[in-house]
């Protein structure tokens, strides 16, 4: 529930919204904690004192400024957030400006952008704030005209007296409205969807103009007076360190000011430490780093490699018992007695985020304060970690959140900011730290590598009678949770199970087991997290079961989904999967794709669907397998049911984005570990999908809905990989169970 | 270091830098023209694309000495008011998401249209496949180039 209040001058100043007379509203955004950051304790909302954490200002010229929380990482929040406000405020869209919320703990809390949560969390509070402001403005106008508020309406940034057509703009009314008592939130009513002017309509993004003329400012574009530039040489292996180094040649490079060693910082920062070269230009710093001579102690992970990890996972998959994450009935017995038994193993590699803007951060450490400029999804986490590092209170650490050149979960980490702070502190000057592409590729927090053994039994009617699954992966929680907490296997498994324990296909007997595999490679949240690998395993395996049953993969899915059921997620009872909606997107994507119609030889269609982050997505991929065993995706058809629609063009854009992002992880690029280090370095040995490999056509169909809004940044990713491999199966009869797909696997399969 | 004389977006600049410095870092660090982006440092992603005498080049691997006596055009100089047909088409098609790679995409596309005012899909793919977009805006880029080639009609 949103509450608004009139604020004290002191509080107002802190928001940065103070100035000439204006209506300023503080309101409260409840935070459904993104489970990704274990250092955050669940928020206690027990305080009786109302503490607003979001702000809105309307000035005397009618200008509207909204402090927005979510980071703009490409997903369009700097447009969707003001749309929510403008709808209920009846604002003049051209008068709205947004300002990034500051990291001031007593003003604005829980900054963080992840879990496809921005619209889901702000949908009602921002609308309620808009409605509250509108109510105040109407009251102010009614008092001016000495009429009843009910005799007035609003239109395009003005209050109108309906009978006389007298009109006062919001700017004119702002000061009078600011003197009124805050409206009772219980009495604020919201618009009906039929009356929406913005929501559900394609609105041009507010940030687009600045992104076609080079004026948009990203993290790497920050410049502060007296700033130096730095790059860091990190040990190629994880957990290694510099034993000694010779910096004489580096210091001889023109422009190099200093060479400083920095220590690794443990979890949650998880930095590698290393040797930083600080110079008066980026180029001098890069040249200086090349001239360093460093002896590395390669550390305890120096023998790790991809092949040994795959072997380890295969061995674990055959061991009993593993941690049982979910069990219903007796899956083993049901499968053993079933007339048809199927088993398959799927494997997925580490994936980097490879944002186009590599990690970077500018920091200025002074005696009693720190200022940081970072392209980040998690400014509050940076603030907390840095405050601990430099031993200052949170208020003395200010984080300016810049635009991010891609995020995909990578910018939830604090490592690059912590490094910039260390280097600035060492040289006593503001420092901009750049990660080169190689640094970024080789010191990421990767999507976990995983191995999945699935077995199932079908009865004579091709009904699923048992479903058993073993997941082996490099656990995310092991990177962030304290050793004591990791004694509990449920903690170790906590972030690997989404899309695995909540499978919607009906089976009376079910078992899901998990084991972590040992690895020194850092891993964390990558666009759609565990669903990205669990969906590949489940939606591939369902396709295999359909083939075993000699049934059409679409019909088989619909049959297994059964009647309309509301399935609470076993790990979060409030997260409910509606099988009717999942069936809806499967049917819609199939229909629009021409499912069942003939295709040229060596072409095939594959379908997959996934519920995640509150949204239902189905993709149909139409592919051609060429004589040289390479694959061209000709067309993708997507059906989306994300509940209430905010900006349909943004939904479409996010589906286009998710498909390309997911296809890179399925077709072109994988991270390989060799002698404890990442073998890949740049876009030559980590190829990504380029325009020529992109689907020739991508159609997106959005289901009209008044359900509560779902997420949109991540859920398009999980079903594209299985749609691709299922299409390859349809084209060739060959089943690819290991990503990325390889021409040699198609040749042999 | 003797200052180098550079012509960028029709203006004269002087930069005292090592002549081996890639143009990218001179633009960004020395002259404050940050519209041109760093993406890979190896001419693999296209984020740093500028024009040298009208030709698209990757500024991350082109030494600034090669630009002396030539005309450099960056995204800031493509137009002063987002009036270039590609900029208009980019806005109409809502191409950018994070936006980081788009300066380079637009500069590559502008050089393409100079040579081929009405490119086919295949010609667009060939010209644009050196530019990476991790947000996956390729289909909109292709549509925007066609739109600009048609003089703005969709």
């Amino acid at each position: 529930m949103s509450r608004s209040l009139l604020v004290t001058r002191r509080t107002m100043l802190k928001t940065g919204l103070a100035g000439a007379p204006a209506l300023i509203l503080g309101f409260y955004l409840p935070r459904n904690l993104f489970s990704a950051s274990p250092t955050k304790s669940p928020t206690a909302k027990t305080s009786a004192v109302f503490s607003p954490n979001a702000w809105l200002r309307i000035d005397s010229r009618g200008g509207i400024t909204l402090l927005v929380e979510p980071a703009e990482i490409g997903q369009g929040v700097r447009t969707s957030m003001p749309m929510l406000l403008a709808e209920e405020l009846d604002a003049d869209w051209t008068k709205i400006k947004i300002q990034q919320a500051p990291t001031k703990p007593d003003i604005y809390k829980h900054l963080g952008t992840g879990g496809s949560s921005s619209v889901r969390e702000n949908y009602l509070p921002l609308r309620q704030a808009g409605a509250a402001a509108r109510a105040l403005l109407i009251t102010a106008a009614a008092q001016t005209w000495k009429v009843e508020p009910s005799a007035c309406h609003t239109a395009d940034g003005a209050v109108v007296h309906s009978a006389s057509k007298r009109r006062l703009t919001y700017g004119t009314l702002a000061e009078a409205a600011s003197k009124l008592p805050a409206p009772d939130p219980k009495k604020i009513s919201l618009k009906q969807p039929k009356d929406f002017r913005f929501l559900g309509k394609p609105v041009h993004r507010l940030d687009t103009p600045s992104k076609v003329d080079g004026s948009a400012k990203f993290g790497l574009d920050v410049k502060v007076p007296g700033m130096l530039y730095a790059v860091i040489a990190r040990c190629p292996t994880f957990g290694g360190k510099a034993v000694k180094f010779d910096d004489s040649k580096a210091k001889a490079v023109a422009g190099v000011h200093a060479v400083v060693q920095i220590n690794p910082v443990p979890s949650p920062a998880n930095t590698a430490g290393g040797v930083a070269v600080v110079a008066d230009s980026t180029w001098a710093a890069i040249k200086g780093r090349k001239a360093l001579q460093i002896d590395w102690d390669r550390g305890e992970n120096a023998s790790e490699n991809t092949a040994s990890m795959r072997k380890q996972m295969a061995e674990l998959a055959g061991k009993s018992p593993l941690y049982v994450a979910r069990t219903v009935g007796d899956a083993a017995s049901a499968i053993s007695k079933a007339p048809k038994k199927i088993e398959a193993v799927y494997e997925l590699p580490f994936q980097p985020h490879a944002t186009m803007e590599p990690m970077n951060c500018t920091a200025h450490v002074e005696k009693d304060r720190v200022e940081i400029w970072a392209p980040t999804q998690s400014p509050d986490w940076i603030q907390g970690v840095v405050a601990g590092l430099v031993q200052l209170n949170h208020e003395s650490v200010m984080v300016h959140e810049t635009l991010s050149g891609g995020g995909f979960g990578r910018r939830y980490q604090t490592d690059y900011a912590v490094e910039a702070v260390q280097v600035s502190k060492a040289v006593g000057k503001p420092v901009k730290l750049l990660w080169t592409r190689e640094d970024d590729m080789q010191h990421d927090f990767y999507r976990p590598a995983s191995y999945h053994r699935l077995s199932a039994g079908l009865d004579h009617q091709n009904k699923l009678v048992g479903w058993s699954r073993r997941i082996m992966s490099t656990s995310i929680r092991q990177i962030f949770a304290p050793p004591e907490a990791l004694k509990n296997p449920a903690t170790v498994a906590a972030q690997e199970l989404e899309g695995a324990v909540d499978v919607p296909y009906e089976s009376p007997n079910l078992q899901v087991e998990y084991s972590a595999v040992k690895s020194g490679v850092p891993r964390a949240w990558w666009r759609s997290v565990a669903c990205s690998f669990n969906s590949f395993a489940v939606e591939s395996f369902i396709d295999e079961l359909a083939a075993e049953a000699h049934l059409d993969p679409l019909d088989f899915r619909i049959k297994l989904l059964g009647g309309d059921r509301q399935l609470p997620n076993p790990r979060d009872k409030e997260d409910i999967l509606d099988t009717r909606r999942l069936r809806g997107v499967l049917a819609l994507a199939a229909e629009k794709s021409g499912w069942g119609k003939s295709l040229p030889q060596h072409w095939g269609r594959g379908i997959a669907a996934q519920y995640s982050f509150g949204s239902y997505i189905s993709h149909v991929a139409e592919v051609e397998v060429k004589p040289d065993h390479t694959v061209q995706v000709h067309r993708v058809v997507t059906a989306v049911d994300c509940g209430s629609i905010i900006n349909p063009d943004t939904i479409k854009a996010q589906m286009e984005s998710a498909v390309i992002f997911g296809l890179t992880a399925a077709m072109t690029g994988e991270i390989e570990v060799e002698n404890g280090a990442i073998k890949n370095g740049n876009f030559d040995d980590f190829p990504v999908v380029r325009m020529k490999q992109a689907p020739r056509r991508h159609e997106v169909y959005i289901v009209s809905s008044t359900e509560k809004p779902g997420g949109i940044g991540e859920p398009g990713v999980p079903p594209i990989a299985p749609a691709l491999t299922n299409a390859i199966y349809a084209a060739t009869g060959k089943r690819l169970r290991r990503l990325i797909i390889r021409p040699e696997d198609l040749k042999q399969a | 270091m003797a200052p180098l004389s550079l012509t960028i977006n029709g203006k004269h600049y002087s930069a005292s830098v090592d002549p081996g410095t890639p143009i990218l870092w001179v633009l960004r660090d020395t002259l404050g023209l940050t519209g041109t982006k760093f993406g890979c440092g190896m001419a693999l992603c296209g984020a740093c694309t500028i024009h040298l005498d009208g030709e698209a080049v990757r500024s991350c691997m082109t030494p600034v000495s090669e630009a002396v006596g030539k005309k450099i055009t960056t995204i800031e100089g493509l137009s002063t008011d987002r009036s270039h047909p590609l900029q208009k088409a980019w806005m109409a098609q809502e191409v950018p998401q994070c936006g980081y790679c788009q300066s380079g995409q637009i500069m590559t596309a502008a050089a393409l249209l100079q040579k081929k005012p009405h490119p086919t899909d295949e010609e667009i793919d060939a010209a644009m496949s050196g530019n990476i977009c991790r947000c996956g805006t390729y289909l909109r880029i292709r549509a925007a180039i066609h739109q600009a080639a048609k003089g703005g009609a969709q």
Side-chain angles (χ1 to χ4, degrees), chain A residues 331 334-335 338-342 454-468 503-510 538 541-542 544-546 549 551 556-557 559-561 565:
Chain A
I335 294 168
K340 289 179 197 167
K341 295 183 252 303
I342 306 98
L454 283 83
S455 48
L458 294 175
D459 67 13
H460 291 294
Q461 284 76 46
N462 292 315
K463 271 194 174 162
L464 202 49
V465 293
W467 174 280
S468 175
V503 171
Y505 302 111
E506 213 164 13
S507 176
N509 300 288
L510 171 85
V538 171
F541 193 53
I542 287 289
E544 301 214 34
L545 297 181
L551 288 171
F556 185 67
R557 280 176 171 81
K559 182 175 135 100
L560 284 188
L561 283 175
R565 293 175 298 146

Side-chain angles (χ1 to χ4, degrees), chain A residues 2 40 87-88 95 117 227 259 357 382 400 442 502 640 642:
Chain A
S2 152
K40 286 178 183 168
E87 184 63 69
E88 299 291 344
K95 294 277 178 69
S117 62
M227 179 181 89
V259 176
E357 179 190 19
I382 290 179
H400 305 276
Q442 295 172 342
D502 47 348
V640 188
C642 58

Side-chain angles (χ1 to χ4, degrees), chain A residues 390-660:
Chain A
V390 299
Q391 300 194 319
L392 287 174
N393 59 31
H394 284 221
E395 288 194 355
S396 305
V397 178
M398 182 180 278
V399 183
H400 305 276
E401 182 180 310
T402 68
L403 286 177
S404 285
F408 317 127
R410 175 63 178 93
R411 294 190 212 273
Y412 227 90
Q413 303 301 330
T414 59
D415 57 331
Y416 52 101
V418 164
E419 288 180 341
V421 165
Q422 288 179 296
V423 179
S424 171
K425 193 177 177 194
V427 299
K429 294 211 162 116
V431 167
K432 175 154 74 180
L433 170 70
L434 166 76
W435 287 42
T436 61
R437 177 56 57 192
E438 290 78 8
D439 299 338
D440 196 83
M441 195 70 80
Q442 295 172 342
H443 295 276
D444 200 344
F445 290 73
Y446 307 87
R447 190 270 303 271
S450 62
Y451 180 104
H452 311 260
R453 198 181 74 183
L454 283 83
S455 48
L458 294 175
D459 67 13
H460 291 294
Q461 284 76 46
N462 292 315
K463 271 194 174 162
L464 202 49
V465 293
W467 174 280
S468 175
R469 167 146 192 216
R470 296 195 142 188
I471 304 169
M472 266 53 61
S473 78
T474 54
S475 151
I476 291 174
R477 273 284 195 261
Q478 286 181 336
I479 299 292
F480 299 98
E484 197 58 34
L486 290 170
K487 287 181 182 164
N488 180 357
T491 303
V492 177
Q495 301 229 296
E496 320 292 318
L497 300 172
E498 212 60 43
V501 292
D502 47 348
V503 171
Y505 302 111
E506 213 164 13
S507 176
N509 300 288
L510 171 85
Q511 177 129 313
V512 179
E513 296 164 276
Y514 178 80
S515 176
V517 63
K518 191 177 174 328
S519 171
V521 178
R523 58 274 178 181
W525 313 288
W526 181 94
R527 196 175 185 175
S528 78
V529 197
C531 278
S532 84
F533 46 82
N534 286 326
S535 182
F536 176 67
V538 171
E539 286 295 300
S540 296
F541 193 53
I542 287 289
D543 231 61
E544 301 214 34
L545 297 181
E548 185 69 27
H550 302 289
L551 288 171
D552 174 87
L554 170 68
D555 295 343
F556 185 67
R557 280 176 171 81
I558 302 275
K559 182 175 135 100
L560 284 188
L561 283 175
D564 292 353
R565 293 175 298 146
Q566 306 276 322
L567 306 175
N569 187 326
R571 303 168 68 237
D572 174 6
K573 302 286 181 209
E574 284 178 26
D575 181 24
I576 292 167
L577 188 160
D578 182 341
T579 57
R580 179 187 58 83
R581 295 174 70 188
L582 191 60
R583 223 170 39 231
V585 291
L586 275 164
L588 180 61
E591 179 211 327
K592 297 291 183 183
S593 73
W595 187 261
K597 288 190 181 149
S598 69
L599 285 170
Q601 206 187 356
H602 309 303
W603 287 48
R605 267 189 214 98
I607 194 165
Q610 180 69 39
Y611 167 77
S612 63
F613 305 95
S615 293
Y616 303 78
I617 316 285
S618 178
H619 296 303
V620 173
E622 201 172 286
V623 310
E624 177 190 5
V625 179
K626 299 193 166 163
D628 63 356
H629 307 286
T630 58
V631 174
Q632 173 71 53
V633 182
H634 286 278
R635 180 182 174 218
V636 174
V637 176
T638 299
V640 188
D641 179 350
C642 58
S644 294
I645 297 165
I646 313 305
N647 191 346
D649 192 56
T650 294
I651 295 170
K652 188 166 178 280
Q654 285 306 301
M655 291 301 113
E656 292 162 0
S657 174
V659 162
I660 301 289

Side-chain angles (χ1 to χ4, degrees), chain B residues 2-31:
Chain B
L4 297 176
S5 172
L6 300 168
T7 306
I8 306 168
N9 302 329
K11 284 188 211 153
H12 182 75
Y13 290 85
S14 174
S16 297
V17 294
D18 170 359
T21 309
I23 302 171
L24 172 70
W25 298 115
V26 179
L27 291 171
R28 292 182 51 83
D29 292 355
T30 314
L31 304 174

Side-chain angles (χ1 to χ4, degrees), chain A residues 72-76 203-205 207-218 220-223 229 254 280-283 286-287 351-358 403-408 432 434-438 526-527 649-650 652-654 656-658 660-661 664-665 682-684 686 688-698, chain B residues 1 17-18 20-22 25-26 28-47 58 60 75-82 86-103 105-106 121-122 124-143 145:
Chain A
E72 181 57 70
I73 53 178
Q75 82 285 43
V203 170
H204 280 288
R205 284 176 58 149
D207 56 351
T208 300
S210 71
K211 291 176 174 178
V212 303
D213 66 2
S215 63
K217 295 285 181 241
F218 296 87
L220 208 51
D221 303 330
V222 167
K223 194 163 196 171
Y229 300 79
D280 60 10
S281 72
T282 310
W283 186 241
I286 291 172
K287 281 205 296 185
Q351 279 291 335
H353 300 79
T355 57
M356 287 311 295
E357 179 190 19
L403 286 177
S404 285
F408 317 127
K432 175 154 74 180
L434 166 76
W435 287 42
T436 61
R437 177 56 57 192
E438 290 78 8
W526 181 94
R527 196 175 185 175
D649 192 56
T650 294
K652 188 166 178 280
Q654 285 306 301
E656 292 162 0
S657 174
I660 301 289
F661 194 83
T664 284
N682 209 313
F683 292 120
D684 48 355
F686 182 81
V688 299
V689 168
R690 293 170 181 268
M691 188 185 279
K692 63 186 172 195
Q693 296 144 307
R696 315 307 302 166
R697 290 156 65 197
H698 185 182
Chain B
M1 265 175 286
V17 294
D18 170 359
T21 309
W25 298 115
V26 179
R28 292 182 51 83
D29 292 355
T30 314
L31 304 174
L33 292 168
T34 54
T36 307
K37 301 302 186 198
F38 168 76
C40 71
M42 283 178 65
L44 294 166
C45 80
R58 308 298 191 219
C60 72
I75 186 72
E76 291 92 344
L78 194 62
S79 74
T80 54
D81 53 0
R82 305 181 199 112
L86 283 167
Q87 290 172 311
K88 291 204 269 191
W90 244 247
M91 289 189 282
Q93 295 286 342
E94 286 289 338
V95 174
Q97 289 184 27
C98 88
Y100 191 80
C101 73
Q102 299 297 344
S103 298
Q105 302 278 3
I106 292 171
D121 272 0
E122 289 66 31
I124 292 173
D125 284 5
M128 300 303 298
S129 282
N131 286 71
I132 293 172
C133 174
R134 283 286 276 163
C135 297
T137 62
Y138 299 127
L139 290 181
R140 292 184 188 228
I141 289 173
R142 196 189 289 143
I145 294 172

